[in-house]
Amino acid sequence: MPCAGSGSRSGAQLPKQYMPVAGQPLIAHTLQALMQVQGVEAISVVIAPADQLFGSYAPAGFQGIVTPTGGKTRAESVRAGLSALRAHGAADQDWVLVHDAARCLILPEWVQMLIDACKDDDVGGLLAQPVPDTLKQGHDGHSVATVSRQDKWLAQTPQMFRIGLLERALDDAEARGLEVTDEASAVEALGFKPRLVACSADNFKLTYPQDFERAEAIFHMRRFKKSGLHTGA
């Protein structure tokens, strides 16, 4: 899990992964969900070299691998996380899931859904959402064209690939100077076709201030439903 970003777009004083959401640090929600997924043998969290906060904000019971070698880009941080897993015995054919720290609304059952869909796949895949809205191509703040939304998906995480393939894809992308916005893009650049596994729109990445408000509301609703409370006419 890459966790080395500064979160500058969130407008927060702290890196956004440590900002409070529904009474807990964002990172705590994310890790608590991943820690509940059966079959996950190890969690590697990649933090920035100067990060002195993770130990204070990680959830109780977390015993994962903390790697303080996060890079300037997502791809560099993910590559560092894969190296940490290798150092702990991961092999070429082992599956690895890469998840954004800032997707704190992830549910264990969504991760399990991805695992079940991809465990027998030749390539792997990712959680994603079919685009529900009309797409516009913009220029200088104006709409210049309408883009067909047919077969368009919004990529989410986790993204699941075998560690050997993902390392090769990231190394190849770096050598070719390709921009890697997610792991699937690197794998696609090698000619492979990752599986798309439909997931909820609630699995969004907290980026802007309003995203924190939306996440608060969703966590509140989940707790409301879990408590069994309801209102009636």
Side-chain angles (χ1 to χ4, degrees):
M1 187 170 70
C3 188
S6 62
S8 57
R9 288 177 293 178
S10 69
Q13 294 181 342
L14 288 173
K16 66 180 176 182
Q17 58 266 34
Y18 302 129
M19 289 295 295
V21 181
Q24 290 192 93
L26 184 158
I27 187 67
H29 289 290
T30 308
L31 287 173
Q32 285 168 350
L34 297 179
M35 288 161 60
Q36 295 178 55
V37 181
Q38 295 185 354
V40 172
E41 296 183 11
I43 299 176
S44 175
V45 180
V46 184
I47 62 175
D51 189 328
Q52 301 294 321
L53 299 174
F54 179 81
S56 300
Y57 288 89
F62 175 72
Q63 297 181 344
I65 306 162
V66 181
T67 306
T69 55
K72 294 180 180 180
T73 66
R74 175 195 179 89
E76 289 177 357
S77 293
V78 170
R79 195 64 178 82
L82 298 179
S83 295
L85 291 176
R86 284 287 199 182
H88 283 75
D92 274 357
Q93 293 303 305
D94 289 339
W95 289 107
V96 61
L97 297 106
V98 181
H99 184 63
D100 298 323
R103 292 186 191 270
C104 62
L105 289 154
I106 187 69
L107 293 175
E109 51 263 41
W110 295 345
V111 183
Q112 191 61 54
M113 177 175 65
L114 175 67
I115 293 172
D116 293 341
C118 294
K119 63 184 179 182
D120 296 321
D121 194 273
D122 291 338
V123 178
L126 63 150
L127 294 182
Q129 181 198 4
V131 172
D133 300 316
T134 298
L135 285 174
K136 296 293 184 181
Q137 179 179 336
H139 180 72
D140 290 338
H142 295 81
S143 175
V144 297
T146 298
V147 181
S148 172
R149 66 187 177 193
Q150 184 176 0
D151 297 327
K152 303 295 192 303
W153 294 68
L154 298 174
Q156 301 178 350
T157 65
Q159 302 193 0
M160 175 175 164
F161 300 102
R162 295 193 185 277
I163 191 170
L165 172 60
L166 184 52
E167 286 175 333
R168 180 158 62 93
L170 292 173
D171 291 347
D172 179 75
E174 181 182 12
R176 294 164 59 189
L178 301 179
E179 181 182 9
V180 176
T181 55
D182 69 347
E183 293 64 52
S185 66
V187 173
E188 291 158 5
L190 286 180
F192 294 99
K193 298 178 180 179
R195 180 179 295 274
L196 293 164
V197 181
C199 190
S200 169
D202 287 351
N203 186 27
F204 64 92
K205 185 177 181 180
L206 276 65
T207 303
Y208 301 105
Q210 60 267 31
D211 294 335
F212 287 79
E213 298 175 6
R214 180 181 170 194
E216 287 270 359
I218 293 173
F219 276 123
H220 176 73
M221 182 59 66
R222 286 179 179 177
R223 291 172 180 173
F224 184 80
K225 290 181 177 180
K226 189 174 181 180
S227 70
L229 298 175
H230 63 89
T231 58

